[in-house]
Amino acid sequence: MWFGHGPAPGARLSEDAAMIDEGLRSELSKQGVFTTTLQELYNWGRRSSVWPLNFGLACCAIEMIAASMARFDIARFGAEVFRPSPRQADLMIVAGTVTKKMAPLVVRLFNQMPEPKYVIAMGACAISGGPFKQGYNVLKGIDRYLPVDISIPGCPPRPEALLHGIIALQKKIAGQKLTGDGRPRHLREEIGGEYPVPGYGAFDLEPPKNPEVWRARPLPREKEPTRS
Ligand code: SF4
């Protein structure tokens, strides 16, 4: 394997990746010689061994469990090692309704996971509150407190949809840079790996959202029909 030359490891990885001639790479691979960069190798290792945290919140968790069974076999994507401890997991699949009573515990579990770590919001409830959106006791999306990487719509999403979400996450990990301005969160010292745990207020969670993570999205509104 080729790990680049010249600058110290990690100094110019994006430039090194561009320096590998595709024709030469193809020619070498025919001879059984594989070329890569440290960045590609690092990302390949991480995306191929994502370990989810072993927890579920409601009906969507049944679909998540089904994805790990023989018919769908999440092991094909290297993500079958569901860990019972957040210290050993790097993927949180928020599968199900997040009640306001449960939200602080979900954030605390995420804080206990080591970096680099990722979040998949699985199902309408985890994304927005789903059918319980208007309920007084249901959080309107876990993205109010956690940095969601992938959202999977549906009520519930089928296991294939979760597999699709994991593939999308793998693509995201594969494209991450180890250096430069486009570095992911876990490689930027100014961004910590811990997120504020909300408390139980008199009427709502305090604070109701983490402004560092959540931004209100403008609602797409149809234009008023013009009268002639
Ligand atoms: S999105 Fe639907 S299936 Fe999933 S937890 Fe909510 S109500 Fe249940």
Side-chain angles (χ1 to χ4, degrees):
M1 290 191 180
W2 186 87
F3 291 100
H5 52 79
R12 295 179 48 202
L13 289 174
S14 53
E15 288 88 343
D16 285 346
M19 280 164 54
I20 299 178
D21 181 76
E22 278 306 315
L24 176 62
R25 185 198 286 243
S26 161
E27 219 28 67
L28 285 170
S29 71
K30 287 179 195 159
Q31 308 294 325
V33 179
F34 292 93
T35 57
T36 187
T37 61
L38 182 60
Q39 179 172 286
E40 285 178 347
L41 188 68
Y42 178 84
N43 287 344
W44 169 79
R46 288 193 306 114
R47 74 178 156 85
S48 307
S49 59
V50 176
W51 289 5
L53 182 59
N54 193 7
F55 91 114
L57 297 171
C59 6
C60 276
I62 303 298
E63 304 295 320
M64 181 182 72
I65 293 165
S68 68
M69 297 292 157
R71 178 168 180 152
F72 299 99
D73 195 9
I74 205 172
R76 293 177 293 151
F77 305 92
E80 80 280 20
V81 190
F82 281 81
R83 305 307 300 172
S85 163
R87 319 253 181 227
Q88 301 165 349
D90 56 2
L91 170 62
M92 172 177 270
I93 303 173
V94 183
T97 318
V98 187
T99 60
K100 290 181 180 173
K101 190 173 183 180
M102 186 58 84
L105 311 180
V106 173
V107 177
R108 186 167 290 125
L109 281 172
F110 185 71
N111 285 344
Q112 290 174 350
M113 291 164 58
E115 290 277 12
K117 53 190 174 185
Y118 306 94
V119 181
I120 289 180
M122 180 179 181
C125 282
I127 294 172
S128 66
F132 314 110
K133 186 176 175 67
Q134 303 304 330
Y136 68 95
N137 64 327
V138 170
L139 191 68
K140 294 177 179 62
I142 193 61
D143 62 345
R144 286 169 184 251
Y145 294 112
L146 295 183
V148 173
D149 295 284
I150 304 290
S151 297
I152 306 175
C155 178
R158 281 187 51 87
E160 296 97 325
L162 177 58
L163 297 182
H164 183 77
I166 286 179
I167 292 169
L169 180 64
Q170 287 181 326
K171 285 181 181 166
K172 183 173 183 177
I173 295 172
Q176 288 184 336
K177 295 180 177 174
L178 299 188
T179 57
D181 292 339
R183 284 170 298 156
R185 185 188 68 240
H186 69 278
L187 293 174
R188 293 164 62 186
E189 286 175 11
E190 69 276 15
I191 303 178
E194 293 218 355
Y195 290 79
V197 178
Y200 300 121
F203 302 104
D204 202 349
L205 290 173
E206 295 287 345
K209 57 184 174 288
N210 177 359
E212 301 276 315
V213 174
W214 190 78
R215 300 264 185 287
R217 293 181 193 135
L219 287 174
R221 298 194 188 280
E222 289 181 12
K223 280 185 181 172
E224 291 278 325
T226 50
R227 291 184 186 172
S228 54

